[in-house]
Amino acid sequence: MIIDLSVALVAIAFAVLVFFLIKTLKSAKESLDKVSQTLQEVQKTIDELTYEVKTTVRHANDITADVQNKIQKIDPIVDSVKNLGDVMNELTLTVKQVSVTVIEKYRKSRELKEKAKAVSIDNAPLTPAEERTVKSYETVNAKKAPGKIAMALKGVDTAAAIWQKFRH
């Protein structure tokens, strides 16, 4: 009888175990069905996004090709503007050098004229003794032939001017 009772108890335990196992398996099946359904929806969404991404990439490629085409058309213009800028830069430098040279020549010429005035006997105030000497010199030289002496004095003046230019 203990054996019969034990077998009956084992059979009841086995039936309870099978009942709960079936319940667990049904719950697992429902979860797997929901997961499968979710995966199908995700796959649908991914397919739609893939189409949109492909379309966007095609548009981006078209835009890139268009931009490259336009850049190639603009390149000669940019090169021309760069060349024009280089020419303008060289022209500006040349004008600057010429103006500096002209200003320097004008300034040196003005300085030489000022120095000539400062050294000139005509502009300097003379003492009475110096005035008599200059007048007597002019009187003596006026009687002589002014050609040779005047030429010699001009030569000395020219040589002095050349020497001053050479020194500067």
Side-chain angles (χ1 to χ4, degrees):
M1 177 109 161
I2 291 190
I3 292 182
D4 289 334
L5 198 57
S6 295
V7 169
L9 189 62
V10 168
I12 291 174
F14 184 71
V16 170
L17 179 68
V18 167
F19 174 75
F20 282 110
L21 188 60
I22 288 173
K23 202 172 178 184
T24 304
L25 287 175
K26 280 185 180 180
S27 176
K29 181 183 181 251
E30 288 175 8
S31 295
L32 286 174
D33 287 342
K34 287 181 182 178
V35 168
S36 175
Q37 183 182 2
T38 304
L39 283 175
Q40 286 175 354
E41 290 175 6
V42 167
Q43 184 63 38
K44 239 191 251 181
T45 306
I46 288 175
D47 289 342
E48 290 173 4
L49 286 176
T50 301
Y51 174 76
E52 289 181 21
V53 167
K54 285 180 181 178
T55 304
T56 304
V57 168
R58 278 191 216 111
H59 287 301
N61 286 340
D62 291 343
I63 290 170
T64 303
D66 187 40
V67 168
Q68 285 177 342
N69 187 19
K70 289 178 181 177
I71 286 174
Q72 287 175 350
K73 289 179 181 177
I74 291 176
D75 274 346
I77 295 171
V78 171
D79 290 341
S80 296
V81 169
K82 181 188 176 294
N83 291 338
L84 180 63
D86 292 342
V87 167
M88 292 300 290
N89 189 23
E90 289 179 20
L91 181 64
T92 302
L93 288 175
T94 303
V95 168
K96 182 180 176 184
Q97 289 173 347
V98 167
S99 65
V100 166
T101 303
V102 168
I103 289 170
E104 282 295 317
K105 284 186 178 182
Y106 174 74
R107 188 173 53 82
K108 285 183 181 179
S109 170
R110 192 178 66 207
E111 286 176 1
L112 286 175
K113 286 179 183 177
E114 289 174 1
K115 285 181 182 178
K117 282 183 182 180
V119 174
S120 175
I121 295 176
D122 295 336
N123 294 337
L126 301 175
T127 62
E130 290 173 336
E131 192 173 334
R132 279 182 297 202
T133 305
V134 170
K135 285 184 181 179
S136 65
Y137 178 77
E138 288 175 353
T139 306
V140 170
N141 287 329
K143 295 177 184 175
K144 295 182 180 177
K148 291 182 182 179
I149 295 175
M151 288 183 69
L153 289 175
K154 278 188 180 180
V156 169
D157 287 341
T158 305
I162 290 173
W163 175 250
Q164 284 181 348
K165 285 183 181 180
F166 178 73
R167 274 189 20 208
H168 288 290

